Amino acid sequence: MASSMILCVLLCFITAAANPIICPNLNSAANYAVIAASTVTNTGFTIINGDMCISPSIAMTGFYPPGKINGITQLGNGIALQAQGDVCSAYNDLAGATPTGQMTGVDLSGKTLTPGVYKFDSTAAISIAAGILTLDGRGIYIFQIGSALSTAANSQIQLINGAKAGCVFWQVGSSVGLGQDSFFQGNILAYASIVFSGGVTLNGSALARTAAVTFISNTVNPQPICDCC
């Protein structure tokens, strides 16, 4: 066990040295699967496998029943305010990271990417139905998106060769729309809203700075904090 842990740390150190990327820190926001500013709404049997908070609003509908939150809910209190403030700080840090790849106008469908900071001046998308984005290798992935992020129906993000959802960060300049029955991975930090179509699974967190998070029979599985920092 000890040798395995040492190997893990060494691999992470080597990856970090080869990929000098900022280490994102969500601080208290890392404790939450979902954070919203205005409201969280749900239709259908959504399962949030973690904590949720809303600040400054306290509006939440569609849970207990039919949706289920397997964690603690903080609504409009000081704890929620701190978490929302930490989302703002992390969002700004991610936006300020130095890009290692310019991706404006590139469809993510069918692409394989290694750890890095990928910049989109405007929108980004997995626009092809059942399209696959593959993230290959242990390390930190940051996507800087100037406006909206969208994914097509049945699209998915695959992680291979040590890539982890907790080390993937999506900094989105406006709103996010995830397509029907899609499978998304990583921590979403959106300036505005995050909208889940029916049947979406997110391995990561949905963090909305100024607006709402909307669910329709979805599953959210928060991930461990990135261990490559």
Side-chain angles (χ1 to χ4, degrees), residues 152-176:
N154 297 296
S155 62
Q156 60 179 294
I157 297 175
Q158 293 184 348
L159 306 179
I160 62 173
N161 296 323
K164 295 185 176 182
C167 297
V168 180
F169 300 86
W170 300 84
Q171 178 261 322
V172 183
S174 59
S175 295
V176 176

Side-chain angles (χ1 to χ4, degrees), residues 11 15 18 24 27 37-38 41 74 78 90 95 100 105 116 134 138 145 148 151 169 197 208 225:
L11 286 171
T15 301
N27 291 305
S38 59
T41 63
Q74 305 284 355
T100 60
T134 302
R138 185 178 180 85
I145 300 167
T151 65
F169 300 86
S197 298
I225 295 172

Side-chain angles (χ1 to χ4, degrees), residues 26-40 51-60 72-89 206-211:
L26 298 178
N27 291 305
S28 70
N31 298 321
Y32 294 92
V34 178
I35 297 177
S38 59
T39 184
V40 175
D51 296 346
M52 176 190 295
C53 80
I54 305 172
S55 178
S57 174
I58 61 171
M60 182 178 71
I72 298 170
T73 302
Q74 305 284 355
L75 300 177
N77 57 19
I79 296 172
L81 179 63
Q82 179 63 58
Q84 187 61 263
D86 288 339
V87 172
C88 179
S89 296
L207 313 177
R209 280 187 57 189
T210 65

Side-chain angles (χ1 to χ4, degrees), residues 167-208:
C167 297
V168 180
F169 300 86
W170 300 84
Q171 178 261 322
V172 183
S174 59
S175 295
V176 176
L178 302 179
Q180 183 85 18
D181 296 321
S182 59
F183 178 56
F184 198 88
Q185 305 213 58
N187 302 295
I188 302 171
L189 290 82
Y191 182 81
S193 62
I194 303 172
V195 178
F196 289 67
S197 298
V200 174
T201 295
L202 168 64
N203 282 355
S205 55
L207 313 177

Side-chain angles (χ1 to χ4, degrees), residues 19-24 91-103 115-120 140-144 171:
N19 299 279
I21 301 167
I22 70 161
C23 184
Y91 177 97
N92 290 333
D93 289 345
L94 292 168
T98 301
T100 60
Q102 175 56 248
M103 299 284 285
V117 181
Y118 297 95
K119 183 174 180 60
F120 297 77
I140 297 169
Y141 297 78
I142 298 173
F143 295 86
Q144 300 168 326
Q171 178 261 322

